[in-house]
Amino acid sequence: MSRLAPAERRLAAAALVQSLGIGLFMASSMAFFTRHVGLSPNQVGVGLAVAGAVALGVSLGGGVLADRFGARRVLAVLYVCRAVCCTAYGLVTNYWQFMVVTLFAIAADRAAPPVLQALVAAAVTEQRQRTRLLAVINVVRNCGLGAGAMAASAALLSDTLFAYRITLVAIGAAFLGGAALVLRIPEQGAPQARQKEKRAALPDRRYLLLTGLNFLLSFFDALLLVAMPVWVLEHTEASPATVSVLFAVNTGLVVLLQIPVSRMAQGLRRTSRMMTYAGVALAASSLCFAGAGAAQGWWVVGWLFAAVVALSLGEVVANSAGWDLSIALAPPEARGRYLSVFNLGNAGQRVLGPVVVTGLLLSTGTVGWIGAAVVFLVAGVATERVALGARTERRAMADA
């Protein structure tokens, strides 16, 4: 982060600090809820799913508030809310208390990403540096998640109520640290509440279409987390240990490639073309997974390795292009609201992705993977066309 400006370093540091807290929580929360609160794994899973579905609509409020009061203040408040919720988890004694805290925690979690993007756009006006900063944030977030998960081993080994409560307090402190760093970031421009022009309730139709196409391309997450392990274990001859190796390959490639790939996002035309590249890479990954199901011996491992490499490439390319397009095609006076709508594609994939992958893709085997390849390819090409059309339409409106 040596070549980042002071404000950019604070943003990256805030992302690192709060991702450490998330990693701690992800690794230790299930053991805490089941062994010391007395909840069943099914209760925890259902609670998280219900809270995630409810939070889809609630998360839109973050962008509206960011336009009105400024992204910096809203993001800091969201981090403080997460800190309060993590501390409150230590006092939970039954299922309904767990549900209430979880609803607030996930709503704040889902509202934060578009507000963070809006703050980056307000703090960094140069397009290439802005996309690079988002790539740096994504890399340090992945590193923080891993480090936090490793640090959670202390609580897991102790397995006492006191250790888990101390861990929850540490997670809350991480979010408070992130809020303190965010408040030190200068934000260009005044909050949009001072502007009196009227705005439409929803983004324009091209931006909504872009959001829907991004929803399809964001299924790389469900492919990695759900489809890949199930396919390896139940439909190929590969060793179960292969799953861990493939996860490690993906993590390593994302950390190594995200920042270099972000430099490709230069200008709307090249950035739009990156969406086609992402669709091609994800389509190739799907076909490689299909090949692994029909292969034997070491060829299975080769096909799986190629599939995860292509999937990782599609992920980093789609991330970089999506960050830039979602900001570039959003009007500055309503940027928070537009980005919140765009983020619904990613948030919706988290809720619907596992259902779609298990119900449609895995249940149909090789045919499902071929269908996924077609969807990714069409979505990538369509996203490029829609983004270029949105630019032309925006220019025409500006000229008028």
Side-chain angles (χ1 to χ4, degrees):
M1 294 189 291
S2 59
R3 289 186 291 177
L4 298 178
E8 297 167 357
R9 287 198 294 269
R10 293 190 190 105
L11 272 166
L16 176 61
V17 169
Q18 63 95 23
S19 65
L20 284 169
I22 295 175
L24 273 169
F25 183 80
M26 290 173 59
S28 62
S29 58
M30 180 62 78
F32 169 70
F33 292 136
T34 56
R35 298 173 71 87
H36 294 280
V37 179
L39 305 179
S40 69
N42 186 57
Q43 284 179 312
V44 176
V46 171
L48 292 174
V50 171
V54 173
L56 282 177
V58 177
S59 64
L60 291 174
V64 175
L65 293 174
D67 289 336
R68 184 173 180 82
F69 300 108
R72 177 181 59 188
R73 295 177 182 175
V74 174
L75 186 60
V77 169
L78 290 173
Y79 283 173
V80 171
C81 288
R82 293 295 305 275
V84 172
C85 288
C86 287
T87 305
Y89 271 130
L91 305 176
V92 166
T93 58
N94 59 56
Y95 181 70
W96 296 110
Q97 292 175 359
F98 162 77
M99 281 298 303
V100 171
V101 177
T102 299
L103 282 170
F104 281 99
I106 293 186
D109 176 67
R110 297 293 189 269
V115 179
L116 173 62
Q117 272 190 275
L119 179 57
V120 169
V124 183
T125 56
E126 203 277 316
Q127 179 263 332
R128 289 183 62 184
Q129 185 65 8
R130 180 183 65 207
T131 305
R132 177 173 176 265
L133 175 58
L134 287 168
V136 170
I137 289 174
N138 189 53
V139 170
V140 300
R141 181 186 292 122
N142 278 281
C143 294
L145 289 173
M150 292 174 59
S153 60
L156 293 170
L157 288 173
S158 175
D159 198 25
T160 62
L161 179 60
F162 177 77
Y164 285 115
R165 284 178 171 170
I166 290 296
T167 302
L168 289 169
V169 171
I171 297 169
F175 279 107
L176 289 178
L181 287 167
V182 164
L183 288 174
R184 297 181 59 196
I185 297 168
E187 188 175 9
Q188 304 293 328
Q192 300 304 320
R194 301 175 188 176
Q195 299 187 13
K196 296 183 179 180
E197 69 171 291
K198 295 183 179 179
R199 296 185 290 268
L202 289 173
D204 60 79
R205 60 184 180 85
R206 286 189 181 273
Y207 200 90
L208 291 175
L209 183 55
L210 193 71
T211 299
L213 292 169
N214 181 71
F215 165 75
L216 296 176
L217 290 173
S218 67
F219 265 75
F220 61 76
D221 196 42
L223 256 60
L224 177 70
L225 298 177
V226 180
M228 185 271 287
V230 174
W231 186 254
V232 171
L233 295 175
E234 298 186 5
H235 298 274
T236 74
E237 298 179 357
S239 165
T242 307
V243 174
S244 298
V245 175
L246 294 176
F247 274 125
V249 169
N250 171 259
T251 301
L253 287 175
V254 171
V255 170
L256 290 174
L257 297 178
Q258 188 68 80
I259 295 175
V261 168
S262 70
R263 300 192 185 104
M264 295 171 57
Q266 300 180 31
L268 195 60
R269 179 171 293 278
R270 290 186 64 180
T271 305
S272 302
R273 177 59 55 89
M274 288 173 66
M275 283 301 199
T276 296
Y277 296 155
V280 170
L282 293 173
S285 173
S286 300
L287 295 178
C288 288
F289 275 122
Q296 295 180 345
W298 285 102
W299 284 104
V300 177
V301 177
W303 280 112
L304 290 173
F305 182 81
V308 171
V309 170
L311 179 66
S312 304
L313 289 172
E315 178 181 351
V316 295
V317 173
N319 279 340
S320 297
W323 294 329
D324 188 67
L325 291 176
S326 60
I327 294 175
L329 298 177
E333 70 276 5
R335 183 179 286 139
R337 178 166 50 86
Y338 270 60
L339 290 173
S340 290
V341 171
F342 189 83
N343 187 65
L344 283 179
N346 297 322
Q349 184 276 141
R350 294 183 190 177
V351 176
L352 298 176
V355 177
V356 173
V357 164
T358 55
L360 294 179
L361 193 157
L362 294 174
S363 63
T364 54
T366 301
V367 174
W369 285 111
I370 295 174
V374 173
V375 170
F376 283 132
L377 188 59
V378 172
V381 173
T383 302
E384 178 184 356
R385 303 307 304 168
V386 170
L388 293 175
R391 179 186 65 173
T392 303
E393 189 174 277
R394 188 67 51 81
R395 285 180 175 176
M397 292 176 63
D399 293 340

